[in-house]
């Protein structure tokens, strides 16, 4: 009886530790992400933003043709409610990996492109145990267009364009942040629910142990009286 109780306590404690470790890891990942965002993603306005299903045990490939030297920036995330993480790769036209993110629920990237051609964005869920919904945003900075715009437009048009870019940036960050917050809320609710169930189970076990101890001590005292 006692060995079974200790075993249950060990299992419960292990589950609690796993949940807390997952929460701590997620918080650290978000902190690192925000630091990267501040460094690389200022004035980020995506040309494309899509959501797609990434099946368990598969790799999804997206391809983008880039025809001039430029900088590409982007971000992706999956639901924060899941424990699963995915791998992300960017390959140049020769098949070389030029950027990668290993085992991340969310990540940002900024890559300088010097060679025109078709670039591949790979989302790897081969080791995952469930399907994932991936949200992916990509911005291809048009260096030629930006150069012309900066030198040739009159100040008023520049101001209007700057305001428009600012509004688009705010709209995107709001939408992206909202989706991440919703995923984070789902993750918190699931973690709290698990902790709640484990707490109930711990309480039941503690009460059972207490009752058993009282009964055991009482039986010992009764036996001594009989002797």
């Amino acid at each position: 009886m006692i060995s079974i109780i200790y075993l249950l306590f060990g299992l419960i404690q292990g589950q609690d530790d796993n949940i807390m470790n997952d929460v701590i890891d997620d918080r650290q990942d978000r902190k690192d992400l925000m630091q990267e965002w501040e460094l690389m993603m200022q004035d980020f306005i995506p040309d494309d933003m899509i959501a797609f299903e990434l099946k368990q045990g598969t790799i999804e490939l997206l391809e983008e043709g880039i025809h001039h030297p430029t900088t590409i920036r982007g971000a992706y995330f999956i639901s924060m409610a899941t424990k699963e993480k995915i791998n992300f790769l960017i390959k140049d036209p020769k098949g070389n990996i030029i950027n990668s993110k290993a085992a991340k629920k969310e990540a940002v990237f900024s890559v300088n492109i010097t060679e025109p051609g078709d670039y591949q964005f790979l989302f790897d869920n081969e080791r995952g145990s469930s399907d994932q919904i991936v949200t992916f945003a990509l911005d291809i900075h048009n260096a030629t267009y930006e150069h012309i715009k900066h030198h040739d437009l009159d100040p008023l048009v520049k101001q209007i364009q700057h305001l428009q870019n600012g509004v688009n940036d705010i709209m995107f960050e709001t939408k992206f942040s909202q989706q991440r917050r919703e995923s984070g809320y789902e993750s918190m609710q699931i973690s709290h629910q698990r902790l709640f169930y484990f707490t109930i189970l711990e309480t039941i076990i503690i009460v059972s142990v207490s009752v058993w101890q009282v009964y055991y001590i009482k039986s010992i005292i009764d036996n001594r009286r009989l002797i």
Side-chain angles (χ1 to χ4, degrees):
M1 177 68 179
I2 294 176
S3 61
I4 294 175
I5 291 170
Y6 282 139
L7 178 61
L8 289 172
F9 268 124
L11 290 174
I12 291 171
Q13 187 63 43
Q15 290 288 343
D16 287 346
D17 291 342
N18 289 337
I19 291 173
M20 291 306 299
N21 288 336
D22 289 340
V23 172
I24 292 171
D25 289 342
D26 286 344
R27 287 178 178 174
Q28 184 60 45
D29 286 344
R30 289 194 199 105
K31 182 179 178 181
D32 295 340
L33 178 72
M34 295 310 298
Q35 291 175 346
E36 290 181 349
W37 187 280
E38 292 295 327
L39 290 173
M40 298 187 297
M41 308 299 283
Q42 293 294 326
D43 301 323
F44 175 62
I45 304 174
D47 297 318
D48 297 296
M49 184 173 179
I50 61 172
F52 60 91
E53 185 177 26
L54 181 60
K55 292 287 188 180
Q56 172 191 355
T58 64
I59 296 177
E60 186 72 23
L61 186 150
L62 303 178
E63 194 169 79
E64 184 73 31
I66 301 175
H67 307 295
H68 53 77
T70 185
T71 298
I72 59 173
R73 296 185 299 171
Y76 77 85
F77 69 89
I78 61 175
S79 173
M80 298 301 295
T82 180
K83 291 183 178 180
E84 301 289 332
K85 297 181 180 182
I86 64 173
N87 300 320
F88 173 74
L89 303 171
I90 302 177
K91 291 186 176 182
D92 65 14
K94 296 179 180 178
N96 299 317
I97 297 174
I98 57 176
N99 191 273
S100 65
K101 304 291 181 181
K104 296 289 184 180
K105 291 183 179 180
E106 53 187 351
V108 298
F109 61 87
S110 178
V111 181
N112 292 322
I113 300 298
T114 57
E115 181 180 356
D118 293 330
Y119 285 77
Q120 296 179 341
F121 303 86
L122 292 89
F123 299 85
D124 180 1
N125 193 28
E126 283 193 314
R127 297 185 179 180
S129 59
S130 61
D131 299 343
Q132 302 297 332
I133 300 298
V134 181
T135 301
F136 178 57
L138 179 66
D139 171 44
I140 301 175
H141 185 76
N142 190 324
T144 304
Y145 173 74
E146 293 294 333
H147 177 77
I148 295 173
K149 181 181 70 175
H150 178 75
H151 289 284
D152 296 347
L153 294 181
D154 62 70
L156 179 60
V157 176
K158 286 182 186 178
Q159 269 191 331
I160 294 173
Q161 187 65 46
H162 180 71
L163 290 173
Q164 182 181 359
N165 290 341
V167 171
N168 290 338
D169 189 24
I170 292 172
M171 288 176 62
F172 169 73
E173 287 192 13
T174 301
K175 182 177 181 180
F176 200 72
S177 298
Q178 181 181 359
Q179 291 176 331
R180 291 179 63 250
R181 281 197 302 269
E182 290 174 355
S183 297
Y185 291 149
E186 292 176 4
S187 177
M188 289 177 60
Q189 288 175 352
I190 291 175
S191 296
H192 290 165
Q193 188 177 32
R194 289 175 179 170
L195 287 172
F196 176 71
Y197 290 146
F198 284 130
T199 301
I200 292 176
L201 183 58
E202 284 179 332
T203 303
I204 292 172
I205 292 175
I206 290 171
V207 171
S208 300
V209 170
S210 300
V211 171
W212 180 80
Q213 286 178 334
V214 170
Y215 174 79
Y216 180 73
I217 293 172
K218 185 174 180 298
S219 65
I220 293 175
I221 294 173
D222 290 342
N223 290 334
R224 286 183 178 178
R225 286 177 180 174
L226 291 174
I227 294 173

